[in-house]
Amino acid sequence: MASDSDERKERLIEDVRPSLRKRIRVERVLDQLHTIENDQKEQIRQKARSAGDLEAADHLISAVLRKPRDTGWFQAFVDALIHSGCKYAADCIQPDNPVDPAEEAENDYCVKLIEILSPSLMDMKTEVVNLECSAKELITPDDVEKIKTTTAIEGNRGGARELLRSIVRGRPGWFSQFLEILRGTDHKHLYELTGGSSDCDKTVGKLPSLKDEPMESEAAAGSHDSPEFMVISSTNEPPEEQDLYQGVSAKSRELPDSVEPSTSDPVEAAGGPEKDDIELRDYQMNVARPALEGKNIIICLPTGSGKTRVAVYITKKHLDHRRKEGCSGKVIILVNKVPLVEQHFNAEFQPFLKHTYKVERVSGDSQLKISFTEIVKNNDVIVCTAQILENYLERANTGDDEGVDLSDLTLIVIDECHHTQKGGVYNHIMMRYLKQKHKNIRLKKEQKKTRPLPQILGLTASPGVGGATKMEKAEDHILRICANLDASKIMTTDLGQFKREPRKSIQTVEDRKEDPFGDLIKNIMNDIHTHAELNPTSNLGSQTYEQWVVQKERIAATEENPKVRVCAEHLKQYSEGLNLCNTIRMRDALNFLTEYQEEEKKKKKSPDADLVIKTTETEQFLFNLFEGKKKELKQLSEKPEFENDSLSKLRGKVLHEFTSRDKARGIIFTKTRRSAIALSQWIQENPKFADVGVKAYHVIGAGDQSVVKPMTSAEQRDVLTKFRDGEVNLLIATTVAEEGLDIAACNFVIRYGLVTNEIAMIQARGRGRAEDSSYTLVDVKNSGVAEKECVNEYRITMMNKAINKIRTLKQEDYDRRILEYQMQAIMEGRMRMKKKQQQQMQTEKGEVKFSCRSCSKHVCTGEDIQMVDVHRVNVSVEFRKLFIKRENTTLQERHCDSETETSEYVACKDCGQRWGSMMLYRGIDCPSLHVKNFVVTFNGKKKTKCTSWSDLKIKFPDFDYIKYGSHQLGESSDEDD
């Protein structure tokens, strides 16, 4: 009989589990429950910290039901619920007195109404209402103390949030008592808002019960007469799993529409909030206040603290105020990376502002960029990349085309504003602003009409110290950023209980006891040194060695020494191979070297059977040298005992994260595109990772500066979307994903042999947004990351001290220093412009010649080159006789406004050296030259360094389309004949 009774009670608990799990206060119930082992309790507490009370309650219920069970287990559970203040949860599992479904549904309606009205209810006098609720036993003594503590730490609104969380867990009937308390504590407006009668002598307002609920047709017909019912029924009921009070972690639970420091996920916000109310935490409101008064400020808050939500709030209040004043507002949100356009638009600005204002986004990938002026005219809020705004500001300045003027805008929000320095696009925009600001000061003195300027709001997690080693220099660096943004203040604050610091650890590595693979590569390199008569003075594979090799290659190219030049090129690749085998698998390093050798051999094979491309004696020596060692390298690369220790440490860390967490999701940051791709493949091919549920993929940059095939912006977005959705749970990324990427569920970050500056460290660490997240640094041989990390920690401490010191400056002292820096920036900008103009005047008269970097053959002069946008194309008829075309499998089709780069490159007909790529411009094939592939002689002197066109200060004429097109048309007509 006892067994049958237990089974009935178990079924009863399972039947009401969805309702029960929403009403359990896990921590308190665990303190009262003695039928669960301590280790089980600790696991459940850990679950509460990492995933929230809702999931933890599920685990608690399962632990209670787990067999074998002690005698009296059911009553012990009921008693624990009662003594922990979860009396309504205890009522739900009483077998002899089950909860009335209609009563439960009505209670759920009350909870939902409180959720909907929570933004307004948080204006209550928390201390007074807390005492009254305690007197009427609507909350427990523990609740009372927690509400008092929260109020003391977070302020009145924080305490109100905690009070509302507590009160909605009470037994049915709490709602009418709560209304009575509001009325009796001089909260008449809140009392009426929550359903109370406007006549205080009448009965306290009450929600309609299900017994009185009209049928669907009746409800529709009578909706105008039932405003209270409309308020409730117009909000879609959340799924059972989404209790808005318990569905988040214990430390960061919030009411609807309040700001979560870690929530900025486009997927989670796809539907967006259904109302315009944006509630800020007290610390967020504190930093926003000067901006709400119309002042220019920088908001400096840690990653994951809700900076973007604060910007949305300021944007809305700014537009609301201007609308109230009868003026139109125009807000532009500037970001520095294309993926952030979609993120800010989808996750923040569109969901909260779409009901009241027109919101649009534009990026370099968007077709809307061609009509940006119209987009600005027709929308209230525009999220865009900074370069687009700069381009259209320049159009307005030159008058060549319809553009955008700063006076058209009323607020500019600059995300990651620490980039507003030096030659960055943010700084170009702000220099226009500062020039007009100081011109306005002059015009005002002359009593002339000034031009309006927008308010500026900068957002950053870290302004950095700019490489400073002393506090004074760190202050100067931060003040210059403030000056560039015309900020009247830099606002920061202590987050209190909302501060999230990931657990940090550093994984050091040991040198291999044996490294036969690396030793064999070094032997090859020493053979090349002997052949080229080179004597290196540093360790092979070190950064110093790589710099030495690059210098040798440049000197040899200018001195027309092909033997040393080609040997230096191969040594550079072997040095990279050494570094790769310290970072990724030996087989990946071997694949890299093999691909390089095959590409070099391919250069010596002409697509034209009649044409023979010469292979020099040195080139043949280098090919034979690798070919002779290739088999042995392959055998060594297949022996796991010789793999580097860094990979072993990385494997252990990833496996630990995925076995110790229910839902692990992490990012590994690595230095190069090649290592990101190789690590992704290593993880995908290793069954140990698959066994614990790892689904990995890489995300790398979209630029074409690297020899590794880049990702398009569309491909980046696709991977990041899959990461947000959970289809990919381990992202291997270069620094492209360090800034701004918001994934609320990301709970571990690993930097693999990669440390740059203190800003990047803060940004990377901040990608771990979830509770109980971890940040790990894995060392790699020759990387020195552990030492660099210590330096960055010191710089962060210096930065925080510098910010605090700046905030204590008297406003007049601060303003004076800001004005000095602004005047200096404007004067330096004028000097740079004058110098640039002088250089252009001088270099236009210069004579430039280009010769093949490999075989030193004369190729062309500057007179043969014309400009197509930013590309230098050779228009000489003779030039076409000097090169061959080859298919370039790594080159992607790239669609721009005026040109398409095809999948062919051009190479020297004699030696196979690549010179550039074929480009299709308005139907015409144009050979576009890459200057790094040539030795450049300028005014009779060879330039030792000329890796980009910016190194060559010469202005080429614009492309003569008619002349060049007529010639090609004539050639094609002859062929047609």
Side-chain angles (χ1 to χ4, degrees):
M1 292 295 291
S3 177
D4 290 343
S5 175
D6 278 359
E7 292 300 324
R8 282 201 310 274
K9 290 169 181 174
E10 182 179 340
R11 284 197 301 273
L12 174 62
I13 291 175
E14 287 291 2
D15 288 343
V16 299
R17 181 190 280 251
S19 177
L20 186 63
R21 66 202 288 260
K22 292 191 291 183
R23 294 180 168 88
I24 289 179
R25 305 179 188 194
V26 173
E27 193 68 39
R28 296 184 190 179
V29 173
L30 286 174
D31 289 341
Q32 300 291 335
L33 191 60
H34 306 297
T35 58
I36 300 178
E37 297 294 332
N38 287 334
D39 59 341
Q40 279 187 300
K41 285 185 178 182
E42 189 53 42
Q43 289 176 9
I44 295 168
R45 286 190 175 100
Q46 179 64 30
K47 176 60 67 175
R49 287 191 289 270
S50 63
D53 262 14
L54 205 60
E55 287 195 37
D58 215 25
H59 280 64
L60 190 153
I61 295 167
S62 297
V64 168
L65 296 176
R66 190 172 294 122
K67 297 177 183 178
R69 295 185 286 256
D70 295 336
T71 304
W73 66 272
F74 181 78
Q75 191 57 47
F77 184 38
V78 173
D79 291 344
L81 292 173
I82 292 170
H83 294 144
S84 61
C86 304
K87 295 179 181 179
Y88 192 33
D91 293 345
C92 291
I93 57 174
Q94 292 292 350
D96 301 325
N97 188 24
V99 172
D100 181 3
E103 184 182 65
E104 184 176 12
E106 185 172 346
N107 186 71
D108 288 343
Y109 275 137
C110 295
V111 172
K112 284 168 62 179
L113 182 58
I114 294 297
E115 291 176 356
I116 293 167
L117 300 177
S118 60
S120 298
L121 289 170
M122 282 188 287
D123 290 330
M124 72 173 81
K125 300 171 187 174
T126 305
E127 291 183 7
V128 176
V129 176
N130 187 27
L131 291 174
E132 291 297 320
C133 289
S134 174
K136 289 187 179 291
E137 297 185 350
L138 292 182
I139 53 179
T140 67
D142 285 343
D143 290 330
V144 174
E145 289 306 313
K146 187 170 184 181
I147 293 163
K148 285 181 179 178
T149 303
T150 305
T151 304
I153 295 173
E154 299 178 34
N156 185 76
R157 294 171 69 82
R161 290 190 192 102
E162 190 58 45
L163 190 152
L164 293 173
R165 290 193 195 104
S166 301
I167 202 169
V168 296
R169 293 190 179 99
R171 281 171 166 157
W174 61 267
F175 183 74
S176 57
Q177 293 185 67
F178 180 55
L179 290 189
E180 189 63 47
I181 289 170
L182 290 177
R183 185 175 70 167
T185 53
D186 296 327
H187 292 89
K188 183 180 177 183
H189 66 294
L190 296 179
Y191 163 73
E192 294 174 0
L193 184 67
T194 45
S197 169
S198 58
D199 185 347
C200 291
D201 295 329
K202 292 185 180 178
T203 308
V204 173
K206 179 174 177 280
L207 288 173
S209 71
L210 289 183
K211 295 174 185 175
D212 304 323
E213 183 179 339
M215 297 297 285
E216 187 175 347
S217 58
E218 294 175 40
S223 61
H224 295 289
D225 302 320
S226 183
E228 291 173 18
F229 187 76
M230 273 187 65
V231 169
I232 299 166
S233 61
S234 64
T235 305
N236 295 328
E237 185 173 354
E240 268 182 341
E241 290 78 19
Q242 293 182 346
D243 177 16
L244 294 174
Y245 290 88
Q246 293 178 317
V248 291
S249 60
K251 284 189 178 181
S252 62
R253 292 180 208 141
E254 283 295 340
L255 289 165
D257 293 328
S258 64
V259 180
E260 291 292 342
S262 62
T263 301
S264 186
D265 190 342
V267 176
E268 293 174 3
E274 292 303 316
K275 43 198 282 185
D276 293 332
D277 293 335
I278 307 166
E279 290 298 319
L280 299 186
R281 285 181 168 150
D282 290 343
Y283 74 82
Q284 293 170 317
M285 185 61 78
N286 287 339
V287 296
R289 197 161 283 115
L292 297 175
E293 296 168 1
K295 295 177 181 176
N296 295 351
I297 63 167
I298 295 173
I299 292 178
C300 180
L301 289 176
T303 53
S305 58
K307 291 186 296 296
T308 311
R309 188 67 57 84
V310 176
V312 177
Y313 182 86
I314 292 169
T315 297
K316 185 175 186 302
K317 294 299 180 184
H318 172 85
L319 292 171
D320 288 349
H321 175 73
R322 291 191 67 85
R323 181 176 283 183
K324 187 177 178 181
E325 295 291 319
C327 309
S328 63
K330 195 75 63 179
V331 182
I332 281 195
I333 293 88
L334 299 180
V335 299
N336 62 334
K337 293 180 181 176
V338 172
L340 297 183
V341 173
E342 293 296 326
Q343 178 174 288
H344 285 347
F345 177 80
N346 290 322
E348 297 289 345
F349 288 90
Q350 167 77 345
F352 282 101
L353 303 179
K354 65 183 178 183
H355 303 294
T356 318
Y357 298 103
K358 292 180 180 179
V359 188
E360 189 54 270
R361 82 287 207 188
V362 187
S363 69
D365 285 353
S366 170
Q367 296 298 318
L368 292 174
K369 68 179 181 180
I370 63 172
S371 55
F372 185 68
T373 305
E374 291 302 311
I375 295 296
V376 172
K377 286 179 182 177
N378 298 329
N379 291 276
D380 304 300
V381 181
I382 303 96
V383 185
C384 69
T385 45
Q387 190 61 55
I388 289 177
L389 177 60
E390 169 61 13
N391 293 345
Y392 277 79
L393 289 173
E394 180 60 24
R395 288 190 185 188
N397 184 49
T398 58
D400 294 339
D401 203 348
E402 190 177 15
V404 174
D405 197 276
L406 284 174
S407 60
D408 299 331
L409 314 175
T410 58
L411 171 64
I412 298 178
V413 179
I414 301 181
D415 188 39
E416 309 295 356
C417 70
H418 51 268
H419 292 297
T420 313
Q421 52 179 314
K422 298 178 182 176
V425 64
Y426 284 164
N427 213 35
H428 291 161
I429 293 169
M430 285 309 302
M431 283 304 298
R432 296 178 188 276
Y433 177 99
L434 293 178
K435 287 176 183 177
Q436 186 60 53
K437 172 194 171 183
H438 289 280
K439 186 177 180 180
N440 282 349
I441 293 173
R442 191 184 76 242
L443 291 172
K444 193 172 182 180
K445 287 179 181 178
E446 296 170 357
Q447 296 184 337
K448 294 179 180 178
K449 186 178 180 181
T450 61
R451 300 190 72 178
L453 285 171
Q455 181 183 349
I456 304 295
L457 172 63
L459 307 175
T460 183
S462 165
V465 296
T469 56
K470 294 181 180 179
M471 181 66 70
E472 183 183 357
K473 295 294 183 183
E475 286 178 48
D476 285 346
H477 171 78
I478 296 168
L479 280 168
R480 284 182 189 277
I481 293 175
C482 293
N484 292 343
L485 288 160
D486 195 38
S488 64
K489 293 181 185 218
I490 179 168
M491 301 298 296
T492 187
T493 188
D494 183 12
L495 303 191
Q497 71 171 50
F498 300 109
K499 186 175 181 179
R500 290 182 179 175
E501 284 288 339
R503 290 178 285 106
K504 180 178 177 180
S505 62
I506 297 178
Q507 300 271 356
T508 57
V509 296
E510 298 178 2
D511 284 342
R512 294 179 174 99
K513 293 179 180 178
E514 290 183 88
D515 185 16
F517 183 86
D519 291 341
L520 187 52
I521 291 178
K522 289 176 182 178
N523 289 339
I524 295 172
M525 295 171 76
N526 284 326
D527 287 344
I528 298 174
H529 294 147
T530 302
H531 180 82
E533 299 178 0
L534 294 171
N535 298 300
T537 57
S538 52
N539 293 329
L540 305 189
S542 67
Q543 190 172 357
T544 308
Y545 176 82
E546 287 184 14
Q547 291 169 349
W548 174 80
V549 167
V550 168
Q551 188 65 21
K552 287 293 179 185
E553 191 278 334
R554 286 177 182 166
I555 294 171
T558 55
E559 293 179 352
E560 298 184 13
N561 185 341
K563 180 179 179 179
V564 173
R565 193 204 66 79
V566 72
C567 284
E569 279 285 0
H570 280 249
L571 286 171
K572 191 163 59 173
Q573 305 307 315
Y574 282 116
S575 183
E576 176 68 10
L578 272 180
N579 285 321
L580 287 174
C581 73
N582 288 327
T583 308
I584 51 182
R585 295 173 296 183
M586 292 181 290
R587 58 181 276 194
D588 296 315
L590 178 57
N591 288 340
F592 161 71
L593 292 173
T594 303
E595 287 171 10
Y596 173 73
Q597 292 289 329
E598 288 175 354
E599 279 296 317
E600 289 301 298
K601 287 179 182 178
K602 224 183 268 184
K603 290 180 182 179
K604 303 301 175 181
K605 295 178 182 177
S606 170
D608 184 355
D610 296 331
L611 181 66
V612 177
I613 298 176
K614 183 183 176 183
T615 301
T616 66
E617 184 181 327
T618 296
E619 288 170 336
Q620 194 60 56
F621 162 78
L622 293 168
F623 294 150
N624 293 341
L625 182 61
F626 179 76
E627 208 54 46
K629 305 291 186 181
K630 184 177 176 181
K631 184 177 179 181
E632 189 178 353
L633 284 170
K634 190 173 189 308
Q635 290 172 345
L636 291 171
S637 71
E638 293 170 352
K639 294 184 177 182
E641 64 267 27
F642 299 134
E643 288 289 7
N644 64 71
D645 190 39
S646 299
L647 270 184
S648 176
K649 290 289 196 298
L650 181 62
R651 181 193 298 112
K653 182 61 183 175
V654 172
L655 291 175
H656 170 75
E657 293 290 348
F658 276 87
T659 52
S660 62
R661 301 178 186 271
D662 284 343
K663 291 182 180 179
R665 197 178 303 181
I667 305 176
I668 299 172
F669 288 107
T670 186
K671 191 174 182 180
T672 65
R673 293 178 181 181
R674 184 172 283 109
S675 60
I677 295 168
L679 288 172
S680 178
Q681 290 172 344
W682 168 61
I683 292 169
Q684 290 166 2
E685 293 168 7
N686 193 323
K688 287 185 179 179
F689 292 112
D691 290 344
V692 296
V694 179
K695 296 170 286 186
Y697 206 77
H698 63 272
V699 61
I700 59 176
D704 58 0
Q705 296 85 1
S706 170
V707 294
V708 179
K709 178 182 177 181
M711 262 186 164
T712 64
S713 296
E715 288 171 334
Q716 287 178 346
R717 280 198 302 271
D718 182 54
V719 175
L720 294 178
T721 299
K722 287 179 179 177
F723 187 54
R724 288 190 177 96
D725 293 345
E727 291 181 52
V728 171
N729 55 20
L730 181 60
L731 202 63
I732 299 95
T734 54
T735 53
V736 68
E738 270 184 343
E739 285 193 355
L741 178 64
D742 292 340
I743 308 294
C746 181
N747 46 31
F748 72 91
V749 172
I750 300 172
R751 297 195 92 189
Y752 186 63
L754 172 67
V755 171
T756 49
N757 59 25
E758 70 281 4
I759 296 175
M761 183 179 117
I762 290 172
Q763 292 288 346
R765 192 165 59 187
R767 295 315 110 213
R769 296 299 179 91
E771 285 287 334
D772 194 34
S773 60
S774 67
Y775 169 78
T776 306
L777 185 69
V778 178
D779 200 0
V780 169
K781 185 179 178 182
N782 294 332
S783 67
V785 294
E787 294 83 358
K788 292 175 184 175
E789 189 81 355
C790 291
V791 171
N792 285 339
E793 291 286 3
Y794 171 75
R795 285 174 172 166
I796 289 171
T797 303
M798 184 193 293
M799 178 191 76
N800 291 331
K801 287 181 179 178
I803 291 173
N804 290 333
K805 195 170 179 183
I806 289 168
R807 284 173 53 76
T808 60
L809 287 173
K810 292 181 180 178
Q811 192 64 44
E812 56 266 30
D813 292 337
Y814 174 90
D815 292 342
R816 178 180 52 79
R817 293 184 69 178
I818 292 298
L819 182 60
E820 284 178 5
Y821 285 130
Q822 288 180 350
M823 296 300 294
Q824 182 182 344
I826 292 171
M827 295 306 296
E828 287 175 350
R830 286 178 180 171
M831 290 298 295
R832 280 194 299 270
M833 186 61 68
K834 191 176 290 186
K835 190 175 180 181
K836 187 177 179 181
Q837 290 171 350
Q838 289 173 349
Q839 284 180 340
Q840 286 178 349
M841 289 172 64
Q842 292 170 1
T843 56
E844 280 176 4
K845 302 172 185 176
E847 182 186 46
V848 61
K849 296 178 181 179
F850 301 88
S851 56
C852 177
R853 193 167 192 86
S854 178
C855 65
S856 303
K857 177 179 67 177
H858 173 73
V859 176
C860 64
T861 69
E863 294 177 358
D864 301 324
I865 296 175
Q866 295 180 0
M867 297 289 297
V868 175
D869 290 341
V870 296
H871 302 277
R872 278 78 172 174
V873 299
N874 193 306
V875 296
S876 166
V877 177
E878 295 300 316
F879 178 69
R880 289 184 170 268
K881 300 174 183 177
L882 303 179
F883 68 80
I884 55 174
K885 297 179 187 178
R886 291 187 184 278
E887 184 182 3
N888 186 359
T889 54
T890 64
L891 187 66
Q892 303 174 116
E893 264 194 7
R894 305 173 68 79
H895 299 284
C896 304
D897 288 340
S898 60
E899 49 84 18
T900 300
E901 201 168 303
T902 65
S903 59
E904 288 182 319
Y905 66 80
V906 296
C908 177
K909 191 177 282 188
D910 290 349
C911 68
Q913 168 71 43
R914 185 180 299 189
W915 286 348
S917 55
M918 288 303 295
M919 181 178 107
L920 188 69
Y921 174 63
R922 294 166 61 184
I924 297 178
D925 276 330
C926 306
S928 173
L929 304 186
H930 301 171
V931 72
K932 65 182 180 181
N933 299 318
F934 299 91
V935 173
V936 180
T937 304
F938 182 61
N939 286 340
K941 185 179 179 181
K942 288 181 180 177
K943 294 178 70 69
T944 54
K945 183 184 177 184
C946 197
T947 56
S948 68
W949 285 108
S950 60
D951 294 327
L952 185 61
K953 306 297 182 183
I954 189 165
K955 185 177 180 181
F956 297 105
D958 291 335
F959 182 64
D960 190 334
Y961 182 85
I962 295 175
K963 183 178 178 180
Y964 196 70
S966 299
H967 179 76
Q968 285 209 353
L969 197 61
E971 284 186 343
S972 61
S973 298
D974 293 339
E975 290 172 6
D976 292 340
D977 293 340

